[in-house]
Amino acid sequence: MLALVAAHSGDSPLWLLGGIVALMWGNTAWHDFGVRVLVGTLVAGTATTVLKWIFRRQRPPGKGRGFYSRFDRHAFPSGHAGRSACLAVLLAPLLPPWGFVALAAWVGLVGLARVALEVHFASDIVGGWAVGVLAGLALRLAF
């Protein structure tokens, strides 16, 4: 159950909703947070999706294939890992050091949970983290 919650804490709809809420009802600091979350989620999601269609690596066999085998059959690179790593890089300047450490731990937890649920190989996660970090660093130049 914990792996399921951790894995899905990196879902795009959750982060997109959070970004929209921050933009609509937040003060200036929350506005910056919302923009970073929306842009990071969309850019990392687009980058990992394009790469998934290029590589077309199938997900691992196992019990975790249900939803993902129907809607997102490809595994490399992991979109959840890419999105979480991109958000960590983009949100780091807004956080105190302990906040970034907590966010980095969350990134690791999301990746490990995706492997534990058998929807990704470990290399899918590492690939997603690499894409996310690179996307986040590129986007930080715009912020």
Side-chain angles (χ1 to χ4, degrees):
M1 179 66 170
L2 182 59
L4 197 59
V5 171
H8 289 292
S9 69
D11 287 355
S12 287
L14 177 69
W15 284 95
L16 291 171
L17 179 62
I20 291 168
V21 167
L23 280 173
M24 292 180 70
W25 291 293
N27 60 21
T28 304
W30 282 106
H31 185 267
D32 190 22
F33 171 86
V35 169
R36 288 170 187 254
V37 166
L38 287 173
V39 170
T41 300
L42 293 172
V43 169
T46 300
T48 55
T49 299
V50 167
L51 290 170
K52 282 181 180 193
W53 282 98
I54 290 170
F55 290 108
R56 296 182 178 268
R57 180 179 184 175
Q58 295 299 306
R59 292 185 181 273
K63 63 181 183 234
R65 292 185 49 90
F67 173 83
Y68 296 100
S69 63
R70 278 179 283 215
F71 297 104
D72 186 6
R73 295 176 309 197
H74 303 117
F76 182 84
S78 165
H80 283 75
R83 184 170 34 264
S84 62
C86 183
L87 290 173
V89 170
L90 285 178
L91 296 176
L94 306 179
L95 300 172
W98 65 265
F100 176 72
V101 170
L103 201 55
W106 168 72
V107 170
L109 198 63
V110 169
L112 291 173
R114 306 292 294 167
V115 174
L117 292 174
E118 299 179 355
V119 293
H120 282 290
F121 296 105
S123 57
D124 301 334
I125 301 302
V126 173
W129 285 337
V131 170
V133 167
L134 291 173
L137 290 172
L139 288 170
R140 280 206 21 200
L141 297 174
F143 290 105

